[in-house]
Amino acid sequence: WIVGFLLRDRHRWLRPWLMAAPVVVGAAPTALLVAGLLWANLAPPSVRFHDVFDAWPGQGVRDLKAHGVGTNDAEWIDLAFAADEATSAALVRPPFRKIEDVREVANVLPLAGNGPPAWWTAHRCPNREVHLARHLRTWDEVIVTRCWTDGRVYVQARWID
């Protein structure tokens, strides 16, 4: 009866829509995946800050730079910004722990991955304080480096399936 319905003259306008429906239904999940990957790579710096710390950057955060790399099974975020003492201290409260061992700092700065952008220089900062949190919300590792030499805060976050 469906074929008869489609072959009638008065319902001829429905044919192209019904023929396109399987293509649209099949392409929708792919379009959503691509949109998610694009957002993971191109989101504004304030959104990336919020993704990591679950808070929007306040007045104490200045000159925020962000770089993100997202795939279907992993994501890396690099942040760098200037912050006053109160703001940077608030970011490294528990569950962050200060890393005292120089060898451990060398192992985590920078995190393994695609490598940080040129403006992310925490690993070259001679006078720094490094804090690490594991399993922070969706992130496997988040590292916050307070660089006393240049007065900036550097952040790396990653999750891998």
Side-chain angles (χ1 to χ4, degrees):
W1 70 271
I2 294 175
V3 174
F5 178 76
L6 292 177
L7 294 177
R8 292 176 141 176
D9 288 337
R10 66 181 180 165
H11 297 292
R12 185 171 291 182
W13 62 272
L14 227 83
R15 284 185 202 164
W17 293 103
L18 290 174
M19 290 178 11
V23 173
V24 171
V25 169
T30 303
L32 288 173
L33 175 67
V34 169
L37 292 175
L38 285 173
W39 181 254
N41 290 300
L42 302 174
S46 60
V47 171
R48 305 314 279 165
F49 185 96
H50 185 270
D51 289 346
V52 174
F53 293 109
D54 200 27
W56 294 101
Q59 298 292 331
V61 175
R62 300 172 311 284
D63 188 29
L64 176 61
K65 294 180 181 178
H67 174 260
V69 176
T71 66
N72 64 334
D73 62 353
E75 185 173 10
W76 290 265
I77 293 179
D78 302 301
L79 300 170
F81 52 91
D84 57 38
E85 175 60 29
T87 301
S88 67
L91 293 176
V92 295
R93 286 186 291 207
F96 285 91
R97 68 172 176 84
K98 186 175 179 181
I99 301 175
E100 303 284 351
D101 184 12
V102 175
R103 291 174 302 195
E104 188 177 359
V105 169
N107 285 336
V108 298
L109 281 180
L111 285 171
N114 292 343
W119 48 258
W120 198 92
T121 58
H123 53 296
R124 294 193 298 258
C125 181
N127 187 9
R128 65 186 175 206
E129 186 178 282
V130 180
H131 298 263
L132 170 68
R134 294 190 192 276
H135 311 294
L136 182 68
R137 289 180 302 284
T138 60
W139 303 102
D140 293 333
E141 294 176 308
V142 178
I143 297 173
V144 177
T145 303
R146 299 166 73 188
C147 181
W148 307 120
T149 308
D150 65 8
R152 296 183 65 75
V153 177
Y154 298 92
V155 179
Q156 278 194 310
R158 73 174 175 186
W159 66 264
I160 301 172
D161 259 351

